Amino acid sequence: MAGPPGLPVHSVHHLENVMGTVVTIDVYTTDGRAGAELSRELATARALLQRADAVFSTWKPDSPVSRLRRGEITSAQAPAEVSEVLEQCAIARELSGGWFDPWAMPGGIDPTGYVKGWAAQRALGAFRASSIYGAIVNAAGDIASVGGLGHGTPFRIGITDPFSPGRLADVVYLTAAIATSGTYERGNHLIDPHSGRPAGRVASASVTGPDLGLADALATALAVAGEPGLDLIEALDGYEALIIAIDGGRRWTEHFPFAPREASPPLWEPAEKTARSSVFADSVFEDLG
Amino acid sequence: MRRTPIVITATLAGLAGVLAFHTTPANLSLGTLPGASGAAQAPAPAGSGGSQRGQSAGGSSSPPRSGPTANAPPGGTRTVVGPAVNYNFGVLSVSVTVSGGKIAKVGIASIDDGGRMRSQFIDQQAIPILEQEALQAQSANIQGVSGASYTSAGFQQSLQAALHTLGFH
């Protein structure tokens, strides 16, 4: 039932409710079969996401990170991932010139700005089956990926228009990861670590690069720092950034991977054979018209 | 039962009780959400000379254009309502309005959260995801959407505040 030989097939579309949001997992394969190996890998990816939620949730009172925030345990007493993430957060803080700082959040240390990307990147690592052309883990807009649509065709990712979230502002070729941060729509939620007060100097800041955890942290930092923060990103190998300013103007680093908006016809087999996870009930809407 | 091209994948479990589209791109028009065709063009990426840094002025977007509407189903505006499904806090159903073959509106058709005031939470969580999936499905040949409306530390802070407001612990 697969298309012509080599045509990628959209074999997995899974939505996982986790970390207070929805994480989508998409896998494109050579044969369109969501076989046992792929099923196991999906299960592993889901478990990694749920595990990250259980350990790092700041609103589940019993999570290790909640207990850490209350001073009930030390990071050494927390699960091993906590120390690993805090080390990475310290690196991200340095690379971002202090604009990303989980230690400066109101209410105590909060690695959330790193964890979602980290967890998605980790979940992506589960997909290793030889039949896979590419896989995408999209943590509610922060995206980790590997591969593409086959034959050197990269994934294309839209960036939400910050002034009209139902539209796309730009399209990029996804090399590995992209994270977007901003202050629009839900008001001003970002905290300036230098002042401890809400901040936000841009409408939207997107960062691409090899690792989603760091990209996530850098996007958060850039949204707070504004245009001067582009120099920080420019200095990092493999990372690129796009800022959409409050006035709608754009600034980007030299090699930001813009893609043409005009799309060629779909290159994958989209159809009915896509496997969906058993935790979801598939249903077709009845036409009431 | 007549079937629409829109297949809904409904989650039965989960914090947000999110419902989401799974659509078949080939069956959809290539247009975007209403008004979306006016989205700004990408700045020219490559071949921009020796410029160290790109930039474009605000308000210089290209004028709106209409996307092609291949395979648009016949007929005008229709609204379809998904089945009521259980989620962690109650029961809800989603409505989708299709106009001229494009998804024009996504909303919660009904929600019963046992009077626990969680519809606000659902609105905050589910609707943006639904819209994102709809946008993705209707935009030709993209495999994801990156956006800040429900991402980053800011989102988590907002979520935390909303949960507290709703008395969720």
Side-chain angles (χ1 to χ4, degrees):
Chain A
M1 293 294 291
L7 201 62
V9 182
H10 191 176
S11 295
V12 172
H13 179 65
H14 174 86
L15 288 82
E16 186 79 7
N17 286 302
V18 67
M19 297 187 288
T21 186
V22 175
V23 176
T24 61
I25 297 173
D26 292 276
V27 182
Y28 300 80
T29 67
T30 54
D31 57 9
R33 285 194 218 110
E37 189 179 11
L38 198 47
S39 297
R40 277 194 302 274
E41 291 174 349
L42 179 59
T44 300
R46 293 179 56 206
L48 287 168
L49 292 170
Q50 295 293 347
R51 164 79 180 171
D53 194 15
V55 171
F56 290 97
S57 172
T58 54
W59 55 270
K60 289 177 179 170
D62 295 333
S63 77
V65 162
S66 289
R67 298 185 65 204
L68 182 68
R69 282 157 59 87
R70 292 194 300 267
E72 294 171 11
I73 59 172
T74 66
S75 57
Q77 292 169 308
E81 302 103 300
V82 174
S83 293
E84 179 192 333
V85 161
L86 292 182
E87 280 173 29
Q88 294 300 316
C89 283
I91 292 170
R93 176 172 62 175
E94 186 171 337
L95 293 176
S96 71
W99 289 106
F100 170 77
D101 190 348
W103 286 270
M105 294 295 114
I109 183 170
D110 185 356
T112 306
Y114 182 85
V115 164
K116 184 149 59 67
W118 172 83
Q121 188 75 56
R122 208 167 172 231
L124 180 73
F127 295 102
R128 298 161 185 229
S130 58
S131 63
I132 294 174
Y133 270 136
I136 292 177
V137 179
N138 185 340
D142 293 338
I143 301 171
S145 76
V146 62
L149 293 169
H151 309 293
T153 305
F155 290 127
R156 287 161 47 93
I157 298 295
I159 295 175
T160 303
D161 182 344
F163 305 105
S164 180
R167 306 178 184 186
L168 296 181
D170 287 293
V171 177
V172 302
Y173 288 124
L174 186 62
T175 49
I178 181 169
T180 298
S181 197
T183 54
Y184 60 89
E185 192 166 88
R186 292 178 194 285
N188 210 335
H189 296 301
L190 294 177
I191 301 296
D192 181 344
H194 298 302
S195 68
R197 296 162 62 181
R201 298 184 172 92
V202 303
S204 170
S206 297
V207 174
T208 63
D211 178 75
L212 184 58
L214 183 54
D216 201 352
L218 292 173
T220 302
L222 196 55
V224 178
E227 191 176 346
L230 283 176
D231 290 333
L232 290 162
I233 312 295
E234 195 92 71
L236 292 175
D237 276 352
Y239 289 85
E240 300 292 334
L242 167 69
I243 283 177
I244 302 177
I246 298 294
D247 68 0
R250 287 169 166 75
R251 308 287 184 273
W252 61 93
T253 57
E254 191 177 358
H255 301 292
F256 191 78
F258 290 109
R261 288 186 65 87
E262 298 302 324
S264 50
L267 293 172
W268 70 92
E269 286 278 300
E272 295 68 32
K273 60 177 75 74
T274 295
R276 298 186 192 88
S277 167
S278 59
V279 301
F280 298 109
D282 296 337
S283 53
V284 176
F285 281 5
E286 284 197 55
D287 187 345
L288 303 180
Chain B
M1 174 174 91
R2 284 174 291 161
R3 293 195 160 189
T4 74
I6 303 164
V7 177
I8 304 297
T9 301
T11 73
L12 287 175
L15 182 63
V18 166
L19 303 179
F21 295 104
H22 184 78
T23 48
T24 302
N27 288 344
L28 288 168
S29 73
L30 296 177
T32 50
L33 290 175
S37 55
Q41 297 291 299
S48 52
S51 159
Q52 276 302 103
R53 175 164 300 166
Q55 91 176 40
S56 66
S60 65
S61 305
S62 299
R65 291 176 301 140
S66 297
T69 53
N71 303 327
T77 299
R78 294 178 302 170
T79 297
V80 293
V81 176
V85 296
N86 293 304
Y87 70 107
N88 274 9
F89 304 134
V91 178
L92 61 76
S93 64
V94 168
S95 69
V96 181
T97 299
V98 181
S99 182
K102 300 176 192 172
I103 296 169
K105 189 171 186 293
V106 177
I108 300 286
S110 69
I111 182 165
D112 178 359
D113 57 10
R116 284 171 291 181
M117 297 290 290
R118 292 202 164 103
S119 6
Q120 181 189 353
F121 176 69
I122 294 304
D123 284 347
Q124 290 183 347
Q125 291 286 300
I127 298 300
I129 303 284
L130 284 165
E131 290 175 345
Q132 176 174 323
E133 288 251 330
L135 178 60
Q136 179 175 336
Q138 293 188 100
S139 300
N141 207 7
I142 64 170
Q143 289 78 49
V145 176
S146 182
S149 54
Y150 20 88
T151 187
S152 83
F155 170 72
Q156 291 292 342
Q157 289 168 23
S158 172
L159 172 62
Q160 193 169 355
L163 288 168
H164 280 203
T165 302
L166 297 170
F168 184 81
H169 299 294

Coordinates of all heavy atoms in Angstrom, one line a residue, chain B residues 92-168:
Chain B
L92 N -16.5 16.8 27.5 CA -16.6 17.9 26.6 C -16.8 17.5 25.1 O -16.5 16.3 24.8 CB -15.4 18.8 26.7 CG -14.0 18.3 26.4 CD1 -13.8 18.1 24.9 CD2 -12.9 19.2 27.0
S93 N -17.2 18.4 24.3 CA -17.2 18.1 22.9 C -16.8 19.4 22.1 O -16.8 20.5 22.7 CB -18.6 17.7 22.4 OG -19.5 18.8 22.6
V94 N -16.3 19.1 21.0 CA -15.7 20.2 20.2 C -16.5 20.5 18.9 O -17.1 19.6 18.3 CB -14.2 19.8 19.8 CG1 -13.7 20.8 18.7 CG2 -13.3 19.8 21.0
S95 N -16.6 21.7 18.6 CA -17.3 22.1 17.3 C -16.3 22.6 16.3 O -15.3 23.3 16.7 CB -18.4 23.1 17.5 OG -17.9 24.3 17.9
V96 N -16.5 22.3 15.1 CA -15.6 22.8 14.0 C -16.5 23.4 12.9 O -17.4 22.7 12.5 CB -14.7 21.7 13.5 CG1 -13.8 22.3 12.4 CG2 -13.9 21.1 14.6
T97 N -16.3 24.6 12.5 CA -17.0 25.2 11.4 C -16.1 25.2 10.2 O -15.0 25.6 10.2 CB -17.4 26.6 11.8 OG1 -18.3 26.6 12.9 CG2 -18.2 27.2 10.6
V98 N -16.7 24.6 9.1 CA -15.9 24.6 7.9 C -16.7 25.5 6.9 O -17.9 25.4 6.7 CB -15.9 23.1 7.3 CG1 -15.1 23.1 6.0 CG2 -15.3 22.2 8.3
S99 N -15.9 26.3 6.3 CA -16.5 27.3 5.3 C -15.7 27.2 4.0 O -14.5 27.5 4.1 CB -16.5 28.7 5.9 OG -17.1 29.6 5.0
G100 N -16.3 26.9 2.9 CA -15.6 26.9 1.7 C -14.4 25.9 1.7 O -13.4 26.2 1.0
G101 N -14.6 24.9 2.5 CA -13.6 23.9 2.5 C -12.4 24.2 3.4 O -11.5 23.4 3.6
K102 N -12.5 25.3 4.1 CA -11.5 25.6 5.1 C -12.1 25.6 6.5 O -13.2 25.9 6.7 CB -10.9 27.0 4.8 CG -10.3 27.1 3.5 CD -9.8 28.5 3.3 CE -9.4 28.8 1.8 NZ -9.2 30.2 1.6
I103 N -11.2 25.3 7.4 CA -11.7 25.3 8.8 C -11.7 26.8 9.3 O -10.7 27.5 9.2 CB -10.7 24.5 9.7 CG1 -10.8 23.0 9.3 CG2 -11.1 24.7 11.2 CD1 -9.7 22.2 10.0
A104 N -12.9 27.2 9.6 CA -13.1 28.6 9.9 C -13.1 28.9 11.4 O -12.8 30.0 11.9 CB -14.4 29.1 9.3
K105 N -13.5 27.9 12.2 CA -13.6 28.1 13.6 C -13.6 26.8 14.3 O -14.1 25.8 13.9 CB -15.0 28.8 13.9 CG -15.1 29.3 15.3 CD -16.4 30.2 15.4 CE -16.5 30.8 16.8 NZ -16.7 29.8 17.9
V106 N -12.9 26.9 15.5 CA -12.8 25.7 16.4 C -13.3 26.2 17.7 O -12.9 27.3 18.2 CB -11.4 25.2 16.5 CG1 -11.3 24.1 17.4 CG2 -10.8 24.8 15.1
G107 N -14.1 25.4 18.3 CA -14.5 25.8 19.7 C -15.0 24.6 20.5 O -15.1 23.5 20.0
I108 N -15.3 24.9 21.7 CA -15.8 23.9 22.6 C -17.4 24.0 22.5 O -18.0 25.1 22.7 CB -15.4 24.2 24.1 CG1 -13.9 24.1 24.2 CG2 -16.1 23.2 25.0 CD1 -13.4 22.8 24.2
A109 N -18.0 22.9 22.0 CA -19.4 23.0 21.8 C -20.1 22.8 23.2 O -21.2 23.4 23.4 CB -19.8 21.9 20.8
S110 N -19.6 21.9 24.0 CA -20.2 21.7 25.3 C -19.1 21.3 26.2 O -18.2 20.6 25.9 CB -21.3 20.7 25.2 OG -20.8 19.4 25.0
I111 N -19.3 21.6 27.5 CA -18.4 21.2 28.5 C -19.1 21.1 29.8 O -19.9 21.9 30.2 CB -17.2 22.1 28.5 CG1 -16.1 21.6 29.6 CG2 -17.6 23.6 28.9 CD1 -14.8 22.3 29.5
D112 N -18.9 20.0 30.4 CA -19.4 19.7 31.8 C -18.3 19.3 32.7 O -17.8 18.2 32.6 CB -20.5 18.7 31.7 CG -21.1 18.4 33.1 OD1 -20.6 19.0 34.1 OD2 -22.0 17.5 33.2
D113 N -17.9 20.3 33.5 CA -16.8 20.0 34.4 C -17.2 19.9 35.8 O -16.5 20.0 36.7 CB -15.7 21.1 34.2 CG -16.2 22.5 34.5 OD1 -17.4 22.6 35.0 OD2 -15.5 23.4 34.3
G114 N -18.5 19.5 35.9 CA -19.0 19.3 37.3 C -19.0 20.6 38.1 O -19.0 20.5 39.3
G115 N -19.1 21.7 37.4 CA -19.2 23.0 38.2 C -17.8 23.4 38.8 O -17.8 24.2 39.7
R116 N -16.8 22.8 38.3 CA -15.5 23.1 39.0 C -14.7 24.1 38.2 O -13.5 24.3 38.5 CB -14.7 21.8 39.1 CG -15.2 20.9 40.2 CD -14.5 19.5 40.2 NE -15.0 18.8 39.0 CZ -14.6 17.5 38.7 NH1 -13.7 16.9 39.5 NH2 -15.0 16.9 37.7
M117 N -15.4 24.8 37.4 CA -14.8 26.0 36.8 C -13.5 25.7 36.0 O -12.6 26.5 36.1 CB -14.5 27.1 37.8 CG -15.7 27.6 38.6 SD -16.7 28.6 37.5 CE -15.7 30.0 37.3
R118 N -13.6 24.7 35.3 CA -12.3 24.3 34.6 C -12.4 24.7 33.1 O -11.5 24.4 32.4 CB -11.9 22.9 34.8 CG -11.6 22.7 36.3 CD -10.7 21.5 36.5 NE -10.1 21.5 37.8 CZ -10.5 20.8 38.8 NH1 -11.5 20.0 38.8 NH2 -9.9 21.0 40.0
S119 N -13.5 25.2 32.7 CA -13.6 25.5 31.3 C -12.6 26.5 30.8 O -12.1 26.5 29.7 CB -15.0 26.0 30.9 OG -15.8 26.1 32.0
Q120 N -12.3 27.4 31.7 CA -11.2 28.4 31.4 C -9.9 27.7 31.1 O -9.2 28.0 30.1 CB -11.1 29.4 32.5 CG -10.0 30.4 32.3 CD -9.7 31.3 33.5 OE1 -10.3 31.1 34.5 NE2 -8.7 32.1 33.4
F121 N -9.6 26.7 31.9 CA -8.4 25.9 31.7 C -8.4 25.2 30.3 O -7.5 25.3 29.6 CB -8.3 24.9 32.8 CG -7.1 24.0 32.7 CD1 -5.8 24.5 32.8 CD2 -7.3 22.7 32.4 CE1 -4.7 23.7 32.7 CE2 -6.2 21.9 32.3 CZ -4.9 22.4 32.5
I122 N -9.6 24.6 30.0 CA -9.7 24.0 28.8 C -9.5 24.9 27.6 O -8.8 24.7 26.6 CB -11.1 23.3 28.6 CG1 -11.1 22.1 29.7 CG2 -11.3 22.7 27.2 CD1 -10.0 21.1 29.5
D123 N -10.1 26.1 27.7 CA -10.0 27.1 26.7 C -8.5 27.4 26.4 O -8.0 27.5 25.3 CB -10.8 28.4 27.0 CG -12.3 28.2 26.8 OD1 -12.6 27.2 26.2 OD2 -13.0 29.0 27.3
Q124 N -7.8 27.6 27.6 CA -6.5 28.0 27.4 C -5.6 26.9 26.9 O -4.6 27.2 26.2 CB -5.9 28.4 28.8 CG -6.5 29.7 29.3 CD -6.0 30.2 30.7 OE1 -5.3 29.4 31.3 NE2 -6.2 31.4 31.0
Q125 N -5.9 25.7 27.2 CA -5.1 24.6 26.8 C -5.5 24.1 25.4 O -4.6 23.9 24.5 CB -5.2 23.5 27.8 CG -4.6 23.8 29.1 CD -3.1 23.8 29.0 OE1 -2.5 22.8 28.7 NE2 -2.4 24.9 29.2
A126 N -6.7 23.8 25.2 CA -7.2 23.0 24.1 C -7.3 23.9 22.8 O -6.8 23.4 21.7 CB -8.5 22.3 24.4
I127 N -7.8 25.0 22.9 CA -8.2 25.8 21.7 C -6.9 26.1 20.9 O -6.8 25.9 19.7 CB -9.0 27.0 22.0 CG1 -10.3 26.6 22.6 CG2 -9.2 27.9 20.8 CD1 -11.2 25.7 21.8
P128 N -5.9 26.6 21.6 CA -4.7 26.9 20.8 C -4.1 25.7 20.1 O -3.6 25.8 19.0 CB -3.7 27.5 21.8 CG -4.5 28.0 22.9 CD -5.7 27.0 23.0
I129 N -4.1 24.6 20.8 CA -3.6 23.4 20.2 C -4.4 23.0 19.0 O -3.9 22.6 17.9 CB -3.5 22.2 21.2 CG1 -2.7 22.6 22.4 CG2 -3.0 21.0 20.5 CD1 -1.2 22.7 22.2
L130 N -5.7 23.1 19.1 CA -6.6 22.7 18.0 C -6.3 23.6 16.8 O -6.3 23.2 15.7 CB -8.1 22.9 18.5 CG -8.7 21.9 19.4 CD1 -10.0 22.4 20.0 CD2 -8.9 20.6 18.6
E131 N -6.2 24.9 17.1 CA -5.9 25.9 16.0 C -4.6 25.6 15.4 O -4.5 25.7 14.2 CB -6.0 27.3 16.6 CG -7.5 27.6 17.0 CD -7.6 29.0 17.6 OE1 -6.6 29.6 18.0 OE2 -8.7 29.5 17.7
Q132 N -3.6 25.2 16.2 CA -2.3 24.9 15.6 C -2.4 23.8 14.7 O -1.8 23.8 13.6 CB -1.3 24.7 16.8 CG 0.0 24.3 16.2 CD 1.1 24.1 17.4 OE1 1.1 24.9 18.3 NE2 1.9 23.2 17.2
E133 N -3.1 22.7 15.2 CA -3.2 21.5 14.3 C -4.0 21.9 13.0 O -3.6 21.4 12.0 CB -3.9 20.4 15.1 CG -3.0 19.8 16.1 CD -2.5 18.4 15.8 OE1 -3.2 17.7 15.1 OE2 -1.4 18.0 16.2
A134 N -5.0 22.7 13.2 CA -5.8 23.1 12.0 C -4.9 23.9 11.0 O -4.9 23.6 9.8 CB -7.0 23.9 12.4
L135 N -4.1 24.8 11.6 CA -3.3 25.6 10.8 C -2.2 24.7 10.0 O -2.0 24.9 8.8 CB -2.5 26.6 11.6 CG -1.5 27.5 11.0 CD1 -2.2 28.4 9.9 CD2 -0.9 28.4 12.0
Q136 N -1.7 23.8 10.8 CA -0.7 22.9 10.2 C -1.3 22.1 9.1 O -0.7 21.9 8.0 CB -0.1 22.0 11.3 CG 0.9 21.0 10.8 CD 1.5 20.3 11.9 OE1 1.5 20.7 13.1 NE2 2.1 19.1 11.6
A137 N -2.5 21.6 9.4 CA -3.1 20.7 8.4 C -3.5 21.4 7.1 O -3.5 20.9 6.0 CB -4.4 20.1 9.0
Q138 N -3.8 22.7 7.2 CA -4.3 23.5 6.1 C -3.1 24.2 5.4 O -3.4 24.8 4.3 CB -5.3 24.5 6.5 CG -6.6 23.8 7.0 CD -7.7 24.7 7.2 OE1 -8.6 24.9 6.4 NE2 -7.7 25.4 8.3
S139 N -2.0 24.2 5.9 CA -0.9 24.8 5.3 C -0.1 23.8 4.5 O 0.3 22.8 5.1 CB 0.1 25.5 6.3 OG -0.6 26.4 7.1
A140 N 0.1 24.0 3.3 CA 0.6 23.0 2.4 C 2.0 22.6 2.9 O 2.9 23.5 3.0 CB 0.7 23.5 1.0
N141 N 2.2 21.4 3.1 CA 3.6 20.8 3.2 C 4.4 21.5 4.3 O 5.6 21.8 4.1 CB 4.3 21.0 1.9 CG 5.4 19.9 1.7 OD1 5.5 19.0 2.6 ND2 6.1 20.0 0.7
I142 N 3.8 21.6 5.5 CA 4.7 21.9 6.7 C 4.4 20.8 7.7 O 3.3 20.2 7.7 CB 4.5 23.2 7.3 CG1 3.0 23.4 7.9 CG2 4.8 24.4 6.4 CD1 2.9 24.6 8.7
Q143 N 5.4 20.5 8.4 CA 5.3 19.3 9.4 C 5.2 19.8 10.8 O 5.2 18.9 11.7 CB 6.5 18.4 9.2 CG 6.5 17.6 7.9 CD 6.9 18.5 6.7 OE1 7.9 19.1 6.7 NE2 6.1 18.5 5.6
G144 N 5.0 21.0 11.1 CA 4.9 21.5 12.4 C 4.8 23.0 12.5 O 5.0 23.7 11.5
V145 N 4.4 23.5 13.6 CA 4.3 24.9 13.9 C 5.0 25.2 15.2 O 4.7 24.6 16.2 CB 2.8 25.4 13.9 CG1 2.7 26.9 14.2 CG2 2.1 25.1 12.6
S146 N 5.8 26.2 15.1 CA 6.5 26.7 16.3 C 5.9 28.0 16.7 O 5.8 28.9 15.9 CB 8.0 26.9 16.0 OG 8.7 27.3 17.2
G147 N 5.5 28.1 18.0 CA 4.9 29.3 18.4 C 5.0 29.5 19.9 O 5.3 28.5 20.6
A148 N 4.8 30.7 20.3 CA 5.1 31.0 21.7 C 3.9 31.0 22.6 O 4.0 31.2 23.8 CB 5.8 32.3 21.8
S149 N 2.7 30.9 22.0 CA 1.5 31.1 22.8 C 1.3 30.1 23.9 O 0.7 30.4 24.9 CB 0.3 31.2 21.9 OG 0.2 30.0 21.1
Y150 N 1.9 29.0 23.7 CA 1.7 28.0 24.8 C 3.0 27.3 25.0 O 3.2 26.1 24.9 CB 0.6 27.0 24.4 CG 0.3 26.9 23.0 CD1 1.0 26.1 22.1 CD2 -0.7 27.8 22.5 CE1 0.7 26.1 20.8 CE2 -1.0 27.7 21.1 CZ -0.3 26.9 20.3 OH -0.5 26.9 19.0
T151 N 4.0 28.0 25.1 CA 5.4 27.5 25.3 C 6.2 28.3 26.3 O 5.7 29.3 26.8 CB 6.1 27.5 23.9 OG1 7.3 26.8 24.0 CG2 6.4 28.9 23.4
S152 N 7.3 27.8 26.6 CA 8.3 28.5 27.4 C 7.9 28.7 28.8 O 6.8 28.3 29.2 CB 8.6 29.9 26.8 OG 7.6 30.8 27.2
A153 N 8.8 29.2 29.5 CA 8.6 29.4 31.0 C 7.4 30.3 31.2 O 6.6 30.1 32.2 CB 9.8 30.1 31.6
G154 N 7.1 31.2 30.3 CA 6.0 32.1 30.4 C 4.7 31.3 30.4 O 3.8 31.6 31.3
F155 N 4.6 30.3 29.6 CA 3.4 29.5 29.5 C 3.3 28.8 30.8 O 2.2 28.7 31.4 CB 3.5 28.5 28.4 CG 2.4 27.5 28.4 CD1 1.1 27.9 28.1 CD2 2.7 26.2 28.8 CE1 0.1 27.0 28.2 CE2 1.7 25.3 28.8 CZ 0.4 25.6 28.6
Q156 N 4.3 28.2 31.3 CA 4.2 27.5 32.5 C 3.8 28.3 33.7 O 3.0 27.9 34.5 CB 5.6 26.8 32.8 CG 5.9 25.7 31.9 CD 5.0 24.5 32.0 OE1 4.4 24.3 33.0 NE2 5.0 23.6 31.0
Q157 N 4.3 29.5 33.7 CA 3.9 30.4 34.8 C 2.4 30.7 34.7 O 1.7 30.8 35.7 CB 4.7 31.7 34.7 CG 6.1 31.6 35.1 CD 7.0 32.8 34.8 OE1 6.5 33.9 34.6 NE2 8.3 32.6 34.6
S158 N 2.0 31.0 33.4 CA 0.6 31.3 33.2 C -0.3 30.1 33.6 O -1.3 30.2 34.3 CB 0.3 31.6 31.7 OG -1.0 31.7 31.4
L159 N 0.2 28.9 33.2 CA -0.5 27.7 33.6 C -0.6 27.5 35.1 O -1.7 27.2 35.6 CB 0.2 26.5 33.0 CG -0.3 25.1 33.4 CD1 -1.7 24.9 33.0 CD2 0.6 24.0 32.8
Q160 N 0.5 27.8 35.7 CA 0.5 27.6 37.2 C -0.5 28.6 37.8 O -1.3 28.2 38.7 CB 1.9 27.9 37.7 CG 2.1 27.5 39.1 CD 3.6 27.6 39.5 OE1 4.5 27.8 38.7 NE2 3.9 27.3 40.8
A161 N -0.5 29.8 37.3 CA -1.4 30.8 37.9 C -2.9 30.3 37.7 O -3.7 30.5 38.5 CB -1.2 32.1 37.3
A162 N -3.1 29.9 36.4 CA -4.5 29.4 36.1 C -4.9 28.3 37.0 O -6.0 28.2 37.5 CB -4.6 29.0 34.6
L163 N -4.0 27.4 37.2 CA -4.3 26.2 38.0 C -4.7 26.6 39.5 O -5.6 26.2 40.1 CB -3.2 25.2 38.0 CG -3.0 24.5 36.7 CD1 -1.7 23.7 36.7 CD2 -4.2 23.5 36.5
H164 N -3.9 27.6 40.0 CA -4.1 28.1 41.3 C -5.5 28.8 41.4 O -6.3 28.6 42.3 CB -3.0 29.0 41.7 CG -1.8 28.3 42.2 ND1 -0.9 28.9 43.0 CD2 -1.4 27.1 41.9 CE1 0.1 28.0 43.3 NE2 -0.2 26.9 42.6
T165 N -5.8 29.6 40.3 CA -7.0 30.3 40.3 C -8.2 29.3 40.3 O -9.2 29.5 40.9 CB -7.1 31.1 39.0 OG1 -6.0 32.0 39.0 CG2 -8.4 31.9 38.9
L166 N -7.9 28.2 39.6 CA -9.0 27.2 39.5 C -9.0 26.2 40.7 O -9.8 25.3 40.8 CB -8.8 26.4 38.2 CG -8.9 27.2 37.0 CD1 -8.5 26.4 35.8 CD2 -10.3 27.7 36.8
G167 N -8.2 26.5 41.7 CA -8.2 25.6 42.9 C -7.6 24.3 42.7 O -7.9 23.3 43.4
F168 N -6.8 24.1 41.6 CA -6.3 22.8 41.4 C -4.9 22.7 42.0 O -4.1 23.6 41.9 CB -6.1 22.6 39.8 CG -5.6 21.3 39.4 CD1 -6.5 20.2 39.3 CD2 -4.2 21.1 39.2 CE1 -6.0 19.0 39.0 CE2 -3.8 19.8 38.8 CZ -4.7 18.8 38.7

